[in-house]
Amino acid sequence: MRRFTYILFALMLVFLSACANKEDNNKSKESEQTKEQSVDVEKGLFNVEITLPASMFEGQDINKVIADVEKEGIKVTKNEDGSLTYKMSKAKHKEMMKEMKGNIIDVVNETKQNKEDYKSIKDITYNDSFTEFTMVVDKATYENSMDGFAAFGLGMAGMMYQLYNGVKSEDTKVTIKLKDQATQKQFDQIVYPDDLNNEKSE
């Protein structure tokens, strides 16, 4: 199960990053593409179904992907549009979410400890649903660095966790608060995906 969760985690981060960086001047077309490429999670009484868009598997051997997932005891259906639907028990889904949560916590801890790449970051805290993160930083160092990429990573991870937990794609939201270590005051805030959409429209 751990290998399956790691694969989902990696696929989703790449997928969300690609969606965030994609530009399309035709808004209606972009909206339709976003709908077709969204992750859909349905929670039934006994089972959970997760449908992943075909775009997440581009360049991969789809038969191998299916075989690897089914080794975990998860039923896979290949849909006409190329998407895959994973059907698992509620217990299996709960286990998956627990492991995914552990993966995100590992990312947070690695980011805090990586002083070579993230010199300004002193601490990172988060809520249980990963809808909010607080980055405690040395403000001057942060503003003269590329440490904002850490916030992007946290935003993508939080959105991913919410999606797999059944939150509709249009309702996913992650707030990153930036606090100055010296004053303990918040000096900025980033909201995903809102701020990404604003950047694209500018």
Side-chain angles (χ1 to χ4, degrees):
M1 189 66 179
R2 182 170 293 277
R3 182 172 181 273
F4 170 64
T5 305
Y6 177 79
I7 291 171
L8 278 183
F9 186 85
L11 276 173
M12 197 61 180
L13 284 181
V14 171
F15 175 68
L16 286 173
S17 296
C19 289
N21 291 325
K22 185 175 180 180
E23 293 186 7
D24 192 330
N25 293 325
N26 188 328
K27 291 187 177 181
S28 62
K29 182 179 178 183
E30 181 177 314
S31 176
E32 185 62 30
Q33 287 176 337
T34 300
K35 185 177 180 181
E36 290 175 358
Q37 295 178 352
S38 63
V39 173
D40 184 49
V41 178
E42 291 187 16
K43 294 183 177 181
L45 288 175
F46 305 105
N47 299 298
V48 176
E49 292 188 0
I50 300 176
T51 300
L52 305 180
S55 55
M56 286 184 71
F57 306 102
E58 288 180 1
Q60 298 188 56
D61 182 344
I62 199 69
N63 292 323
K64 185 177 186 304
V65 170
I66 292 172
D68 287 345
V69 172
E70 288 185 334
K71 286 178 184 176
E72 303 285 350
I74 296 169
K75 183 180 178 182
V76 183
T77 301
K78 184 177 180 180
N79 304 308
E80 289 184 2
D81 61 359
S83 64
L84 295 182
T85 298
Y86 298 164
K87 185 175 182 179
M88 64 190 78
S89 66
K90 280 201 165 183
K92 183 78 76 173
H93 181 258
K94 186 176 181 180
E95 179 186 348
M96 184 190 83
M97 294 310 300
K98 183 179 179 180
E99 290 182 2
M100 194 169 287
K101 185 172 188 174
N103 287 338
I104 295 176
I105 292 172
D106 287 345
V107 169
V108 169
N109 290 333
E110 287 168 11
T111 301
K112 290 194 295 185
Q113 294 164 13
N114 188 351
K115 300 305 179 185
E116 184 175 341
D117 293 331
Y118 303 115
K119 294 181 175 65
S120 73
I121 298 175
K122 306 304 179 183
D123 193 20
I124 301 173
T125 58
Y126 47 87
N127 64 2
D128 195 54
S129 58
F130 298 117
T131 58
E132 186 176 300
F133 294 83
T134 299
M135 290 173 52
V136 180
V137 303
D138 179 283
K139 184 180 178 183
T141 305
Y142 177 85
E143 292 179 339
N144 290 285
S145 71
M146 301 297 286
D147 289 3
F149 281 117
F152 177 79
L154 295 174
M156 294 299 102
M159 289 169 63
M160 174 208 65
Y161 181 85
Q162 293 173 55
L163 283 170
Y164 281 131
N165 205 29
V167 178
K168 296 297 182 183
S169 57
E170 62 268 23
D171 295 328
T172 59
K173 194 176 293 290
V174 179
T175 301
I176 313 290
K177 296 181 178 180
L178 296 169
K179 183 186 290 187
D180 181 25
Q181 183 188 38
T183 64
Q184 288 298 300
K185 290 183 178 179
Q186 181 179 323
F187 64 91
D188 200 0
Q189 177 172 291
I190 307 166
V191 179
Y192 292 102
D194 297 4
D195 287 343
L196 286 174
N197 296 332
N198 290 338
E199 287 176 10
K200 287 169 67 176
S201 63
E202 289 177 357

